[in-house]
């Protein structure tokens, strides 16, 4: 057994112990102690079996992931029951709704609270009132039902403990702390040992549009204003108008509250009213990094009034088999979410960057970066897609950034881009 496997089993044991104590706490302290020991042993053993049977290129077995999610829900349900006094029906419904919202699909968003409510009603009829039991049963019931109804995987493991050069479509830059924030590039410069320059006056998210040349895109045919935007991004200011689909709003509100804002990353405005506060856009750079060609460019967008981060993205380009690609890495704690996009010509001399392609490079990738070895464990995020369309209209720059999940559109960001005063 490797050290990493032992650590994972240890974490599973701790989670199982918390779950066991929560599930039996309503029976008294002795029962809670026994439950903690049983939960630690049970979930630890399940993790060991799942890891032993895991093949290279696979994620852990579904049954082990369902057990872990149920164990995670148990102490949260216990806390909800103690703090609010709610019965099994509201606790189970809320747990199912949260699990469904994390599934992203509209069908899962609706399925989660339905399964949760059914589980809660069943427990109430049996006289079970413990919030821990309600939450765990709702999450396990929902995930089992969803696995039977939706068989296409949301994640597929591409590589485990790979070198960065073997995965050119990944931007292997993580956050060393739990909060990313607008100071990320400064902290990254300390890690990489390069020279940090904040808010560079005249720089673009790419060094040259010519780096993106390929069969689907000819930079020479691009509108000069579009080229200038990419090569001199900081000359322009952006106004953003978000257009959310109604079905995704509850899930996104949960995501933003629990993840985006605490992380200081990927917190898009919920409404046009929020967006009216304005967007501050800047590019910080790192130069002189050993082993890293060129300049590290971090495009940071934040609310103009509060400075709250909206996006912190590291923009890179690379070439493979005669094509140029744009890879944008969004740093996360000890991980990175990368969008690799294929450049395509747009009618009217614009530029489209699209993650949907029959090629093997474009797509979305979630990567864990080992802090000791810098090795990458990468999973492809299937079903998620985006398209950025930059063009000119009546002599002015416009952009539309559209997102889909499993073929369903859920968000379009409309940008009005105008030159800053000299």
């Amino acid at each position: 057994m490797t050290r990493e496997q032992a650590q994972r089993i240890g974490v599973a044991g701790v989670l199982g112990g918390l779950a066991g104590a929560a599930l039996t706490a309503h029976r008294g302290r002795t029962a809670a102690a026994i439950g903690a020991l049983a939960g630690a042993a049970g979930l630890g053993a399940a993790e060991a079996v799942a890891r032993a049977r895991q093949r290279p290129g696979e994620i852990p077995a579904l049954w082990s992931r369902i057990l872990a999610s149920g164990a995670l829900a148990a102490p949260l349900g216990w806390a909800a029951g103690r703090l609010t006094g709610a019965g099994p029906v509201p606790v189970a419904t809320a747990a199912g709704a949260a699990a469904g919202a994390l599934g992203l699909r509209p069908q899962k968003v609706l399925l989660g609270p339905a399964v949760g409510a059914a589980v809660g009603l069943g427990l109430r009829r049996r006289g079970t009132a413990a919030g821990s039991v309600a939450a765990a049963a709702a999450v396990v019931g929902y995930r089992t039902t969803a696995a039977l109804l939706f068989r296409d995987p949301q994640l597929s493991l591409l590589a485990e403990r790979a070198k960065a050069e073997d995965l050119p479509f990944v931007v292997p830059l993580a956050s060393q702390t739990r909060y990313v924030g607008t100071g990320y590039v400064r902290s990254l410069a300390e890690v990489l040992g390069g020279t940090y320059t904040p808010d560079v006056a005249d720089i673009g998210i790419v060094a040259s549009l010519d780096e993106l040349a390929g069969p689907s895109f000819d930079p020479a045919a691009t509108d000069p204003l579009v080229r200038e935007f990419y090569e001199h991004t900081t000359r322009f200011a952006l106004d953003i108008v978000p257009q959310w689909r109604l079905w995704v709003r509850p899930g996104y509100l949960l995501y933003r509250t629990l993840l985006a804002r605490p992380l200081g990353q990927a917190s898009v405005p919920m409404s046009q009213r929020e967006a009216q506060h304005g967007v501050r856009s800047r590019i910080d750079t790192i130069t002189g990094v050993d082993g890293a060609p060129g300049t590290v460019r971090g495009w940071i967008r934040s609310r103009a009034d509060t400075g709250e981060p909206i996006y912190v993205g590291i923009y890179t380009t690379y070439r493979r088999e005669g094509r140029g690609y744009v890879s944008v890495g969004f740093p996360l704690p000890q991980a990175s979410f990368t969008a690799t996009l294929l450049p395509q010509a747009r009618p009217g001399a614009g530029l489209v960057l699209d993650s949907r392609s029959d090629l093997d490079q474009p797509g979305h990738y979630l990567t864990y970066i080992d802090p000791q070895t810098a090795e990458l464990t990468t999973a492809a995020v299937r079903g998620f897609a985006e398209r950025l369309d930059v063009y000119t209209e009546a002599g002015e720059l416009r952009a539309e950034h559209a997102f889909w999940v499993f073929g369903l559109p859920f968000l379009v960001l409309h940008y009005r881009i105008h030159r800053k005063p000299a």
Side-chain angles (χ1 to χ4, degrees), residues 4-91:
E4 183 180 358
Q5 289 173 327
Q7 289 176 339
R8 288 175 175 173
I9 293 172
V11 171
V14 172
L15 179 58
L18 291 174
L23 290 169
T24 54
H26 61 288
R27 299 182 181 275
R29 293 185 178 180
T30 302
I34 295 173
L37 292 174
L43 198 61
E47 178 71 12
V49 171
R51 293 293 175 179
R53 299 180 63 181
Q54 182 182 359
R55 297 178 180 178
E58 289 183 346
I59 58 177
L62 176 62
W63 62 266
S64 69
R65 304 201 309 272
I66 292 177
L67 280 179
S69 62
L72 182 62
L76 297 177
W78 174 85
R82 288 293 297 270
L83 293 175
T84 66
V89 175
V91 171

Side-chain angles (χ1 to χ4, degrees), residues 262-320:
L263 282 175
Q265 173 67 291
S267 181
V268 179
M270 276 287 293
S271 64
Q272 186 172 353
R273 181 178 179 180
E274 282 189 28
Q276 286 175 347
H277 293 283
V279 176
R280 181 170 185 255
S281 170
R282 77 174 199 259
I283 294 179
D284 294 356
T285 65
I286 306 173
T287 54
V289 179
D290 292 339
T295 300
V296 177
R297 302 161 190 260
W299 192 11
I300 301 165
R301 281 158 285 179
S302 58
R303 283 182 52 154
D305 55 344
T306 64
E308 179 184 352
I310 296 175
Y311 275 118
V312 180
I314 304 297
Y315 280 70
T316 67
T317 61
Y318 71 97
R319 297 192 62 78
R320 185 178 178 87

Side-chain angles (χ1 to χ4, degrees), residues 315-369:
Y315 280 70
T316 67
T317 61
Y318 71 97
R319 297 192 62 78
R320 185 178 178 87
E321 298 179 351
R323 295 178 184 268
Y325 296 92
V326 174
S327 282
V328 187
F330 299 97
L332 302 170
Q334 214 51 62
S336 174
F337 181 78
T338 303
T340 294
L341 310 172
L342 173 68
Q344 295 177 310
R346 181 190 189 277
L351 170 58
V352 171
L353 298 176
D354 204 330
S355 69
R356 298 171 299 181
S357 173
D358 294 332
L359 301 172
D360 61 352
Q361 300 292 297
H364 293 86
Y365 307 97
L366 184 62
T367 300
Y368 167 74
I369 304 167

Side-chain angles (χ1 to χ4, degrees), residues 159-170 172 367 373-378:
E160 193 169 18
R161 293 195 167 279
K163 296 180 180 180
E165 54 266 29
D166 297 331
L167 303 176
F169 46 81
V170 169
T367 300
T373 65
E375 293 174 320
L376 311 181
T377 298
T378 298

